[in-house]
Every structure is written in structure tokens, then in C-alpha cells.
Amino acid sequence: MAALRHDRITAPWFIEGPINGEAFLLYIEKVLVPTLPARRHRHHGQSRLDKANAVRRAIRAAGARLF
């Protein structure tokens, strides 16, 4: 998995097997967010909806946008 930016591919991460919500959130928080502009990040709840919202918050907190 990796992030596609307008000028390059960044934050590559290799994982064996299928990706699930927990692994995706781990990727967002530990691999992708550190490559984004520095800002504060917070970890949130563990329900499925909370995980999706945590992904959105982590990305937005870093000053990036989801499309």
C-alpha cells in the first residue's frame, strides 16, 4: 500500500494478506501521517465507525484532505 500524491508516491507499506480496518488505521497513524505536515494527532475509539472517523481525523489533523 502507498499514498499517491500529485508529484510522487510516498509512505509505502507492505503487509502480508488482506488488509482490514485495524491494519489500515495502523498504516494511517504510523506510516502515512508522519509523512504529512507536522501537526497534532490523537487516537480515538475502536468501533468500526470510530476507526473510520479516526482515519479521517488523523489525515485532517495533518493538514491533508480526503477526496
Side-chain angles (χ1 to χ4, degrees), residues 1-62:
M1 166 176 357
L4 177 62
R5 296 185 181 203
H6 76 281
D7 59 346
R8 68 187 181 279
I9 294 174
T10 189
W13 192 51
F14 298 95
I15 184 171
E16 277 191 45
I19 190 85
N20 61 25
E22 289 179 26
F24 185 67
L25 181 56
L26 180 68
Y27 166 76
I28 294 297
E29 292 180 337
K30 302 297 183 189
V31 181
L32 178 63
V33 167
T35 71
L36 300 174
R39 294 211 182 162
R40 293 182 149 186
H41 307 102
R42 295 184 303 175
H43 180 70
H44 297 279
Q46 294 300 314
S47 78
R48 189 172 189 185
L49 181 57
D50 284 342
K51 287 179 186 173
N53 287 332
V55 167
R56 292 179 194 283
R57 283 189 292 266
I59 291 171
R60 287 182 182 150

